[in-house]
Amino acid sequence: AQSYSAMLSADKVKFSTVAALLADETMSYTSGEGLIEVGPGDIIEAQGFRYEVAASDAVDAHVETAGGVKLYVQPSITGRYNPLAFGAAMDGVTDDSDILNKVIAIGPVILPAKTIYVEQPIILPSQANIKGLGQRRSYIKSGVVNGASTIKLAQTAIQYLYLSGFTLQGNGLTGEDGNGHAIDFIDW
């Protein structure tokens, strides 16, 4: 196995895309033929995002590589988390509901100038903070159906929500159950 420091100097712990990082099977917590040994605290880069290697027994890691290395996504210099760093497709077609809900639960979110598509409600806890790069630039596109709201509160006693700079697009359905892109700010 090659050491982390040797690989870092050779830019081998930098990945061109988040998908390549998440699919990686060469990083490992143990040494072995053809493996890159990493340990807690090591920094990995992918697609301009930074990740800190978590302990192998961590239960709170944000993402995990195909080879089993657990990682904490590092926030941007503004202290926000980008869903793309967690593997969101943000192509306007792939359901990124689970990823977006996970990112919201971790901390402040920055939505890039892309469309994130959701088929399940977005659950907002107290102090949820979602900021886009501007209306008609950052989109949350709803595919939520059956009369469900696109955005729901995690509990009834929510305080301090911050939502700005993005457009919420409905799913285009009409009818008795509504169009599925409502924001539900009442008890549920």
Side-chain angles (χ1 to χ4, degrees):
Q2 296 186 30
S3 73
Y4 170 79
S5 58
M7 298 309 285
L8 181 61
S9 64
D11 285 339
K12 300 260 177 150
V13 288
K14 294 182 180 178
F15 295 83
S16 60
T17 66
V18 172
L21 168 64
L22 297 178
D24 181 74
E25 295 181 350
T26 62
M27 288 190 300
S28 175
Y29 290 108
T30 58
S31 59
E33 181 72 29
L35 298 177
I36 301 168
E37 187 174 352
V38 295
D42 289 344
I43 300 297
I44 310 299
E45 294 183 12
Q47 199 173 322
F49 301 112
R50 293 173 56 87
Y51 303 80
E52 180 182 337
V53 176
S56 61
D57 61 350
V59 295
D60 61 345
H62 300 156
V63 295
E64 187 172 336
T65 69
V69 174
K70 298 175 181 180
L71 304 168
Y72 297 112
V73 176
Q74 299 299 289
S76 69
I77 59 171
T78 62
R80 295 182 176 277
Y81 293 91
N82 187 324
L84 291 171
F86 292 76
M90 292 196 73
D91 59 7
V93 178
T94 305
D95 180 14
D96 288 323
S97 304
D98 291 339
I99 292 173
L100 183 56
N101 278 317
K102 181 179 193 174
V103 178
I104 290 168
I106 291 170
V109 178
I110 185 69
L111 294 175
K114 291 185 168 281
T115 299
I116 189 162
Y117 177 71
V118 295
E119 291 184 355
Q120 300 300 315
I122 299 165
I123 309 300
L124 299 178
S126 281
Q127 299 183 21
N129 188 321
I130 305 172
K131 182 178 182 180
L133 295 180
Q135 292 180 343
R136 292 184 292 274
R137 291 187 66 208
S138 300
Y139 292 88
I140 296 177
K141 181 179 176 184
S142 177
V144 178
V145 295
N146 297 327
S149 297
T150 300
I151 296 178
K152 288 188 173 186
L153 302 179
Q155 59 207 36
T156 57
I158 296 291
Q159 296 180 350
Y160 308 111
L161 295 177
Y162 181 81
L163 309 173
S164 73
F166 65 89
T167 299
L168 180 61
Q169 289 182 322
N171 60 17
L173 297 178
T174 58
E176 196 172 294
D177 290 332
N179 62 11
H181 69 278
I183 300 175
D184 182 359
F185 288 126
I186 58 173
D187 295 350
W188 54 281

